[in-house]
Amino acid sequence: MTFVGSAASAAQFPQDGLPEVAFLGRSNVGKSSLLNALSGTRNLARVSSTPGRTRLLNFFRVGDLDAKPDDAFYFVDLPGYGYARVPEAMRREWESLVSAYLVGREPLALCVFLVDLRHDPSEGDETLRAYLDHYRLQYVVAATKADKLGRGEAMKRRDALARGIGRNAVGVVAVSAEDGAGLAELWKTIRAAVPSTKGKA
Ligand code: GTP
Ligand code: MG
C-alpha cells in the first residue's frame, strides 16, 4: 500500500477511475489502524492519539506496484465524525466534504463502516447508516477492537449489530487491528466487491 495523496475538495479526488474502498466511522473508532492492518503496513495511514485529527480524505493505492493498472484500487481513509470538541463550522465542513465524496462517486465499490464492537452504535453511527442506505451505497460493517472483548461476548455483540445497525449491510465482521481477527473475512468481502483485484496489499 502506498500513500497517493490527500484531498480537501472534490477537485482533488483521483481521476484515474480505479475502484475505491472507503473507510467510514466515528473519530477514534480505528479507521487508520484497520487500513494499516489490512495492508500489512505499520503506521502508513496515520494513527492518531488525538481524536478528530484527520480532516482530509487520504488515498492509498493498494496492489502490487508492478501489477496491471486494472488490478490496483484505492483505500480511502475518511475523516471521523462525532468528536465532541469539534466546532459547528468544522462539522459542517466535514459533512460537505464527505458527502461530496460519497454521493455519485462512480469508482466507489464498497464502504467499510466501522463501529466499536464494545459500544452500542452512536447517534452519528445511525445517521451514517441512514445516509448509506438512502444513497444505496454498498457497505460492510467492521466492528472494531474485538481484542478488547472475550470471544463469547464478541460473538454476542457481533450478532446484535447484524440484527441492528448492520441489517442492510453485505456483512458484519468483528475485527481487530491489534491481533488480526476478522481481517481475512473482511478481505473476502472487499475482494468480492472489487472483482478485478487479487487482494494484494
Ligand atoms: P480518526 O482519524 O481520529 O478519526 O481516528 P481513527 O478512526 O483513524 O482511529 P485510529 O486508527 O487512529 O485509532 C484510534 C485509537 O484506537 C488508537 O489509539 C489505536 O491504537 C486504537 N485502536 C485502533 N484499532 C484497535 C484495535 O483493533 N484494538 C485495540 N485494542 N486498539 C485499537
Ligand atoms: Mg484516522
Side-chain angles (χ1 to χ4, degrees):
M1 180 169 91
T2 49
F3 176 63
V4 182
S6 299
S9 70
Q12 296 164 345
F13 299 160
Q15 305 285 318
D16 53 20
L18 291 180
E20 291 169 357
V21 176
F23 291 73
L24 285 153
R26 71 167 179 72
S27 181
N28 212 41
V29 71
K31 296 175 293 299
S32 304
S33 301
L34 181 58
L35 234 132
N36 285 324
L38 281 169
S39 66
T41 49
R42 189 163 275 274
N43 245 344
L44 179 57
R46 208 165 72 95
V47 174
S48 53
S49 46
T50 316
R53 271 288 178 76
T54 317
R55 297 259 66 98
L56 303 164
L57 272 67
N58 292 308
F59 289 84
F60 299 88
R61 193 181 160 112
V62 184
D64 195 329
L65 286 178
D66 299 326
K68 286 170 286 165
D70 55 339
D71 282 346
F73 64 104
Y74 291 113
F75 276 164
V76 189
D77 193 6
L78 278 93
Y81 51 81
Y83 181 53
R85 272 181 278 166
V86 166
E88 177 62 18
M90 221 166 166
R91 199 186 58 73
R92 255 187 259 123
E93 227 174 81
W94 178 91
E95 255 179 32
S96 77
L97 179 59
V98 170
S99 57
Y101 174 75
L102 288 177
V103 182
R105 179 67 183 163
E106 234 235 290
L108 181 58
L110 179 72
C111 293
V112 179
F113 177 11
L114 290 83
V115 297
D116 193 316
L117 185 61
R118 297 167 301 167
H119 308 304
D120 291 332
S122 68
E123 214 180 295
D125 294 336
E126 291 294 351
T127 303
L128 177 60
R129 182 203 57 77
Y131 189 96
L132 294 172
D133 285 341
H134 179 78
Y135 287 103
R136 298 180 188 286
L137 294 160
Q138 178 175 238
Y139 57 95
V140 56
V141 171
T144 63
K145 311 192 185 184
D147 56 280
K148 295 202 175 185
L149 292 177
R151 205 177 146 69
E153 181 66 12
M155 281 172 64
K156 215 169 83 188
R157 293 202 65 91
R158 193 221 70 96
D159 291 348
L161 290 171
R163 288 189 304 268
I165 198 155
R167 63 193 176 277
N168 297 325
V170 295
V172 177
V173 188
V175 297
S176 168
E178 200 71 25
D179 65 16
L183 298 187
E185 191 184 342
L186 185 55
W187 259 123
K188 242 189 236 173
T189 307
I190 293 171
R191 281 198 206 99
V194 187
S196 66
T197 77
K198 298 186 176 75
K200 286 185 176 172

